Amino acid sequence: MQATITINLDNAAFEAPQGNELARILLNLAHKISNVEFGVNPYDDQFILRDINGNKVGSFVVTTDSTSSS
């Protein structure tokens, strides 16, 4: 099983300091996944990440592909 987080920092919500918005997104993601059992419900294995303005800036995906490398 592998988790992949992709976040594009190239929009207005990430103006300096970029860390504030990135931290907010990651904390929000942490709350969403804190009680998830991955691999049970496919809808729980992926989330769209949005900035403070509601724009899609990335994704979180858990894959169970046995061929993926560590």
Side-chain angles (χ1 to χ4, degrees):
M1 205 175 295
Q2 179 174 327
T4 304
I5 300 171
T6 305
I7 302 173
N8 180 349
L9 306 178
D10 294 332
N11 74 24
F14 293 98
E15 292 179 358
Q18 292 174 322
N20 289 342
E21 181 61 7
L22 182 57
R24 189 196 66 76
I25 290 169
L26 291 173
L27 284 169
N28 188 29
L29 176 62
H31 288 291
K32 286 181 180 179
I33 65 173
S34 63
N35 293 313
V36 172
E37 185 73 31
F38 296 113
V40 175
N41 181 349
Y43 295 106
D44 290 339
D45 293 348
Q46 57 186 344
F47 295 96
I48 293 173
L49 305 178
R50 298 188 181 277
D51 67 14
I52 193 75
N53 300 318
N55 300 310
K56 179 182 174 184
V57 294
S59 63
F60 169 85
V61 179
V62 173
T63 56
T64 56
D65 183 8
S66 60
T67 61
S68 61
S69 58
S70 307

